Amino acid sequence: MDETMTLPFEVKLAAGADMVEGELRRLLDTRPLEGELYRPDRLLKAMRHGVLNGGKRLRPFLVLETAALFEATDDTAALRVAAALECIHCYSLVHDDLPAMDDDDLRRGKPTVHRAFDEAAAILAGDSLLTYAFDIVSAPETALPAEAKITLVNRLARASGMGGMAGGQALDLAAEGSSLSEDEILRLQAMKTGALIRFACEAGAVVGSAQDADIERLGEFGAAIGLAFQLADDLLDLTASSEAMGKATGKDAAAGKATLASLHGIDWTRQQLRGLVAQAEDILEPFGERADTLKQAARFVAERQS
Ligand code: GRG
């Protein structure tokens, strides 16, 4: 057995985060790429502030681990796809923190981009991170067959756009002060937070040239842990301190937003989380112990404290 399999999950996640951080640093270098005319200094600094600031790098970790499950032949391709996904995640955080959305001063324990720079810089940094993600996936340096790149670009666009994360954010903003049904909350969450997590798991399978049925299976795993991620987030919003989270908490209740956790209570939510972890583990059963790290990831998502 691969001896790294026995390491605690946090150690594996931190090792993945280091790799992703290194790749993001390279990608956000001052030198323009071929076809770029110039990288404006302040814009690049705002982008780096929004990205190189100590996130858990969970989504990229899921890309790397699912790619490893299918023994992807080129680790650098998986790393680039992982970094591209983190650029989209970071863009969403930068824009979510803006006064027009969540209006937050702190993110990952540091001033948000619009606080450290200004609103225009934060908007442009987010826009540039979003477009850069598609550059990274499609670029010649990402050593994947053209068909795999098209699949990734298309799935990433759908996970991020109006039918995915951005659409989920729109539903979330519209829901303030109104009451959504449980199905509407589930759909909103599957879009706002679930879609990128699901994409992360599918993307690794695409990078690893998995069969369609396995890509689908990993997508189901991603959907289960995406929902667990959101339930855990709702629970933390109810129970955790802003110091532990590195951002404001208690915001859902303050905004009059019902979450599944606030509707059903803490015990119900913990029970749901246990059920989702069991479901995620079942989905991975065909892969045997090769999927142990992904199973640990499911538990981590459900039990995380920040
Ligand atoms: C602005 C288009 C647009 C979308 C915003 C993702 C999102 C949609 C908003 C973020 C609001 C939020 C706090 C949602 C809860 C789930 C979430 C994305 C938490 C942050 O993700 P983590 O815990 O953070 O993976 P790190 O900092 O570790 O990357």
Side-chain angles (χ1 to χ4, degrees):
M1 186 173 80
D2 174 0
E3 63 203 26
T4 59
M5 294 293 263
T6 57
L7 290 172
F9 181 75
E10 282 75 4
V11 175
K12 296 183 203 175
L13 183 61
D18 279 351
M19 283 168 56
V20 171
E21 188 88 13
E23 187 63 22
L24 288 165
R25 265 180 207 287
R26 278 189 289 281
L27 289 163
L28 293 172
D29 187 68
T30 49
R31 274 166 302 180
L33 300 174
E34 194 186 332
E36 288 180 338
L37 301 181
Y38 177 65
R39 293 187 161 190
D41 187 51
R42 193 158 184 274
L43 173 60
L44 190 60
K45 283 193 173 120
M47 291 167 74
R48 291 169 67 94
H49 185 92
V51 173
L52 305 172
N53 56 358
K56 293 184 288 297
R57 316 299 190 195
L58 174 68
R59 294 156 193 77
F61 182 83
L62 291 169
V63 176
L64 298 177
E65 274 306 314
T66 44
L69 187 63
F70 296 99
E71 292 164 10
T73 45
D74 190 326
D75 288 350
T76 62
L79 191 54
R80 285 178 63 87
V81 173
L85 177 56
E86 185 67 6
C87 285
I88 295 208
H89 171 58
C90 293
Y91 125 72
S92 81
L93 300 180
V94 171
H95 280 192
D96 184 66
D97 290 335
L98 284 166
M101 299 220 195
D102 244 14
D103 195 9
D104 273 308
D105 296 338
L106 270 185
R107 170 66 64 184
R108 295 171 171 167
K110 301 189 183 78
T112 47
V113 177
H114 67 277
R115 284 275 165 209
F117 293 79
D118 54 50
E119 275 184 53
I123 292 168
L124 289 172
D127 291 343
S128 304
L129 287 168
L130 172 61
T131 42
Y132 198 24
F134 295 100
D135 179 332
I136 297 166
V137 174
S138 59
E141 292 79 3
T142 303
L144 289 173
E147 204 179 322
K149 288 188 192 178
I150 292 171
T151 301
L152 289 166
V153 164
N154 186 254
R155 285 182 186 239
L156 185 54
R158 293 197 181 172
S160 318
M162 64 181 163
M165 180 182 68
Q169 177 79 344
L171 291 175
D172 198 31
L173 291 171
E176 283 180 21
S178 70
S179 61
L180 296 183
S181 71
E182 202 158 312
D183 281 350
E184 286 171 326
I185 297 177
L186 282 168
R187 182 176 62 190
L188 182 164
Q189 295 182 339
M191 291 168 71
K192 184 178 131 173
T193 28
L196 282 199
I197 293 176
R198 181 180 186 133
F199 171 81
C201 301
E202 292 170 346
V206 173
V207 171
S209 309
Q211 302 288 318
D212 286 350
D214 282 336
I215 299 173
E216 183 67 24
R217 183 171 282 278
L218 266 296
E220 284 166 23
F221 168 76
I225 66 168
L227 179 53
F229 183 94
Q230 185 60 54
L231 283 176
D233 207 71
D234 295 345
L235 206 52
L236 289 167
D237 194 65
L238 285 178
T239 59
S241 69
S242 56
E243 289 75 30
M245 296 296 284
K247 62 174 188 178
T249 55
K251 295 210 66 160
D252 293 333
K257 269 189 226 163
T259 63
L260 293 178
S262 70
L263 285 178
H264 294 284
I266 290 173
D267 289 345
W268 177 91
T269 308
R270 293 209 168 112
Q271 199 185 332
Q272 289 295 115
L273 282 168
R274 283 192 290 275
L276 284 165
V277 170
Q279 187 188 330
E281 288 176 342
D282 274 358
I283 293 170
L284 294 181
E285 227 29 75
F287 301 107
E289 66 181 24
R290 284 188 298 128
D292 280 355
T293 302
L294 285 174
K295 291 182 191 168
Q296 282 181 311
R299 289 194 286 277
F300 171 82
V301 161
E303 292 162 13
R304 73 199 169 92
Q305 299 302 319
S306 69

